[in-house]
Amino acid sequence: MITKNISKYLAMFFMVCGMAANTACTSDEDPFFTAGEDDYPRILNTDIPEGKDGEPGVLMTIERTQNFQFDVMVTPVKYTTVTWLIDDEQVAEGLSIDTPVLAGEHLVKIVAATTKGLETSRTCKLVVLPAEGDPSLASDGKSRWLTIGSTKTIACTNATNVTKVFVGKQEASNVAFANGKLTFTVPSMAEGEYTVVIEADGARYGCGVFTVSNTEYVDPGVKETVLWEGSTEINWGEANVTVSAADMANVPVGATIRLVYEMADMPDGYHALRITTPWWGDNAEDQIVAQFDLTADTPNPFEFTYTAANKAIVDERGGMLIVGYGYKLTKVVAVENIAPAETTLWEGGIEINWGDANVTVSAADMANVPVGATVHVYYQMADMPDGYHALRITTPWWGDNAEDQIVAQFDLTADTANPYDFTYTEANKAIVDERGGMLLVGYGYKLTKVTFSK
């Protein structure tokens, strides 16, 4: 009798334990099972970066040939709909996304909304690297500056034909492609930063971020000074333009003088230009630029180099006089080449020796380096017994694949430029942001300074 009772109690005990275990499993699977339709939605992922200084963090970096794949967890899951937006365009709905994305840097917004209209969202960046052999556009600052309404010409590689250009969501007009040059008219749109997409050889490719502006590009290594601006119909002594000696005093020898003009419609078809001084004079030594006929083949603007001989007569004779016939002068500009300002990222004296001694430039410092900037690496060659010297620029993750490198490893020789310069690309920035900085490694050299210029 006792044995039967014990058996009955044991069976009840195991049944209760089983029920408790089932309840615990349900709770583990849905720890927020008590959240209801009236509760505020939450996105529970801890792997979505918060970002810094108001800039969204980089969620992931993938290649163009990979789909963007990601899953989110939300609560209350039974009453919440998730939508996915890439660059403000909805591309998916649901707890998961699996979609192809063009190369470039994209803004991803994940929106969770309940049936009662309550909503929350998370925003981050997705970096998509171009695949090897993809069509690409020149990455220098001037190429990536688009002046609204102007005709833009950009070098384009790895394409046999380009038929369409999109700046953001606006389609450009007058698209032409020949001899590796893409030409189009920049559409009218708000100023800002936009991704440019091209349709080449029947497919679309992202080509990175471009600046759209109402103003012309100003080279950071060039200083432009307007010496005169107006609208004067040049007609020999009756109408001409003088740039005073005081204004010319600030123009250094070697500068470029640029004249912007418009050809006038003359009954006799004659147009001429002379650049002299208030003394006029007909001898060669009296002229800054000897008189010549303006034709349809004359460059506009017309430019010449300001020589020491030019400066001597301008200083002596009271300025520069622009005369001639049959054209309207609108602007005179002095253009000087100046060394771009460099910002120091790191300075010291480290004998680089692979993992034993190297230099890291932090992600925080690298955040100030814009895409398209030139990074300058200053070094001294060390006297190595084996005569071997090598340089690699990577990240703290190291890695031996091409996509892990900022500059792939190469041998330093007497012919290597010093400083060694490279352009900081979107792909470089993506892995530097993701992997915590830039690492300079190698062997057989002393690193002394790392700078950048825009």
Side-chain angles (χ1 to χ4, degrees), residues 178-252:
N179 302 317
K181 300 289 185 181
L182 173 62
T183 301
F184 59 92
T185 299
V186 181
S188 178
M189 58 199 303
E191 293 183 297
E193 304 291 316
Y194 295 90
T195 296
V196 168
V197 174
I198 64 173
E199 191 169 288
D201 306 322
R204 291 192 178 184
Y205 299 91
C207 294
V209 176
F210 285 65
T211 299
V212 174
S213 175
N214 285 313
T215 62
E216 296 289 338
Y217 177 77
V218 176
D219 191 323
V222 170
K223 176 184 176 183
E224 295 187 6
T225 304
V226 176
L227 300 173
W228 178 90
E229 191 167 13
S231 180
T232 298
E233 299 280 355
I234 302 296
N235 185 10
W236 297 119
E238 294 180 13
N240 48 52
V241 168
T242 300
V243 182
S244 71
D247 288 335
M248 292 300 297
N250 297 318
V251 180

Side-chain angles (χ1 to χ4, degrees), residues 339-359:
E342 293 185 27
T343 301
T344 299
L345 296 168
W346 178 90
E347 192 165 11
I350 299 292
E351 299 280 354
I352 301 297
N353 185 9
W354 297 119
D356 292 337
N358 47 53
V359 167

